[in-house]
Amino acid sequence: MTIDTHEDARLRQLYDDFAAAGLNPLWTQVGDLMPMSPSPQAVPHIWKWSTLYPLAQRSGELVPVGRGGERRAIALANPGLGGRPYATPTLWAAIQYLGPREVAPEHRHSQNAFRFVVEGEGVWTVVDGDPVAMRRGDFLLTPGWNFHGHHNVTDSPMTWLDGLDIPFVHYTDAGFFEFGPEEVTNEATPNVSRSERLWVHPGLRPVSQPGPRPSSPIAAYRWGHTDRALDDQLALEDEGHPATAEPGHAAVRYSNPTTGGDVMPTIRAEFHRLREGAVTATRREVGSSIWHVFDGSGTAVLDGVEHVVNRGDLIVVPSWKPLRVAADSRLDLFRFSDTPIYEQLNLYRTEEDSR
Ligand code: 1HN
């Protein structure tokens, strides 16, 4: 048994009084408030497609999609973030499943969103009245406050990856939401959206649309363009010209043609292609990222732990956790991150170890 001195008792009373007054003294926790380097609560984690897809299919059988629930989207819940539907402290990532002939109703929200199509085709998404076809490998934008709904006009289900800045907007108390009209607005399914007809001609900007915009006006970045850009980088490398991010590693960043910068203010998106046998440097960055194995297989060394990754798998990399990727076959990877936030706030850092 310890015997309190008079001083101890006064000190305990002081802490009790702090708590009662809603105060918290710095000297008891400076290490947590200001770690020497980022020490995220989110943990490095890999979700296997072989787990995700069957669960999405079962949801398709059992859970209707409609007003209220809005989307049949199943979010990655980082094991370090207390069960909330957050892949990282800033990013939401989900697999969304839309069955044959199903409609996901229109709405809009402050949160920025994208879709990256993983399986199938035949859904079109309507972005502010512009119908946009979705096919495997396409990258589609729904920047904040654009109305959007999805409609599957085929007899097969479709699956895609959703990325949004939901946790960031939640923590910053910045979110607004509005329901749209009950029916998705346009039944037409043109091959090419109006946004692409206006904006997607290489190096050509419509004179009618001057000035920078916070988000890209391109509703869909088509797989054909991405694929060709990556192949060209590798071919140039073969011909002895500098073109790749590192040896055997081609990479492109989806960009906003009105600024040359990132597609949306809070989200960066890229596509990476590694030749069979290529290995990346070990890299860590401030801010979090999520990698999706679009095709092929390889090894991810994530925070020192080696994982075999295959088509469809999702790799979640919290801030300042090192990642190295090695390709066992040609490896195609879609990647998104919250980097623009950190760059804008002058908080971004990166470090690389090429050994
Ligand atoms: C949303 O609108 C979509 O439009 C996906 O597909 C996921 C998660 C929370 C709130 C809105 C979509 C979402 C979402």
Side-chain angles (χ1 to χ4, degrees):
M1 197 169 93
T2 54
I3 299 164
D4 276 354
T5 64
H6 184 57
E7 285 293 297
D8 288 337
R10 286 177 60 210
L11 198 53
R12 271 192 296 121
Q13 188 61 54
L14 177 66
Y15 287 124
D16 288 350
D17 292 348
F18 281 152
L23 297 169
N24 201 328
L26 173 64
W27 58 83
T28 61
Q29 54 188 322
V30 69
D32 285 346
L33 285 178
M34 288 198 189
M36 306 305 282
S37 61
S39 66
Q41 283 182 279
V43 295
H45 198 79
I46 292 182
W47 278 264
K48 303 297 289 178
W49 192 249
S50 55
T51 308
L52 292 171
Y53 191 63
L55 289 169
Q57 279 180 312
R58 282 164 61 196
S59 309
E61 287 161 21
L62 295 172
V63 185
V65 62
R67 192 51 97 200
E70 302 295 291
R71 300 293 184 261
R72 192 185 290 108
I74 307 158
L76 308 186
N78 190 294
L81 296 178
R84 282 165 297 175
Y86 300 164
T88 78
T90 52
L91 297 170
W92 156 292
I95 164 174
Q96 185 167 158
Y97 185 94
L98 198 62
R101 308 287 160 193
E102 280 187 325
V103 176
E106 284 199 31
H107 63 212
R108 65 177 172 179
H109 38 71
S110 311
Q111 290 83 354
N112 293 290
F114 74 77
R115 350 240 143 250
F116 183 79
V117 183
V118 177
E119 294 279 357
E121 58 182 84
V123 168
W124 47 280
T125 185
V126 180
V127 182
D128 262 349
D130 187 13
V132 190
M134 295 172 71
R135 306 177 197 97
R136 175 166 160 84
D138 292 347
F139 172 65
L140 300 107
L141 298 187
T142 324
W145 217 238
N146 283 278
F147 276 112
H148 56 286
H150 317 306
H151 193 157
N152 186 344
V153 297
T154 74
D155 292 319
S156 324
M158 240 189 104
T159 309
W160 60 87
L161 177 67
D162 281 317
L164 292 92
D165 53 11
I166 290 175
F168 178 74
V169 173
H170 174 76
Y171 286 122
T172 50
D173 291 326
F176 294 86
F177 181 95
E178 243 174 49
F179 292 112
E182 278 317 303
E183 274 303 302
V184 176
T185 37
N186 192 331
E187 291 291 324
T189 59
N191 247 339
V192 184
S193 62
R194 293 199 295 274
S195 114
E196 291 163 270
R197 289 163 65 201
L198 189 56
W199 285 99
V200 186
H201 303 286
L204 299 171
R205 181 165 182 185
V207 171
S208 62
Q209 311 290 318
R213 299 194 189 176
S215 294
S216 169
I218 299 175
Y221 295 72
R222 299 296 177 191
W223 172 241
H225 296 138
T226 311
D227 187 35
R228 228 170 300 135
L230 295 161
D231 270 353
D232 272 344
Q233 285 188 16
L234 293 175
L236 284 164
E237 182 181 57
D238 281 336
E239 294 161 23
H241 299 289
T244 49
E246 52 190 344
H249 175 184
V252 289
R253 182 169 301 160
Y254 299 97
S255 72
N256 174 348
T258 74
T259 60
D262 287 297
V263 285
M264 296 187 290
T266 52
I267 296 177
R268 170 165 295 174
E270 296 176 343
F271 203 99
H272 296 249
R273 173 168 291 164
L274 271 64
R275 292 183 201 273
E276 181 178 338
V279 181
T280 69
T282 300
R283 241 179 235 107
R284 58 180 174 173
E285 294 182 275
V286 169
S288 50
S289 61
I290 298 168
W291 296 72
H292 165 70
V293 181
F294 181 65
D295 210 359
S297 57
T299 307
V301 185
L302 177 56
D303 201 18
V305 182
E306 200 170 305
H307 307 264
V308 171
V309 291
N310 299 300
R311 178 167 158 151
D313 293 353
L314 289 153
I315 306 165
V316 170
V317 188
S319 187
W320 215 235
K321 298 296 184 193
L323 174 70
R324 177 189 194 88
V325 179
D328 295 340
S329 64
R330 185 174 93 162
L331 186 59
D332 273 359
L333 301 160
F334 171 77
R335 167 186 197 258
F336 68 105
S337 70
D338 54 14
T339 319
I341 300 174
Y342 296 83
E343 284 186 348
Q344 280 297 315
L345 301 177
N346 198 31
L347 290 167
Y348 183 71
R349 289 197 200 195
T350 183
E351 209 174 72
E352 160 168 328
D353 176 357
S354 51
R355 275 171 305 143

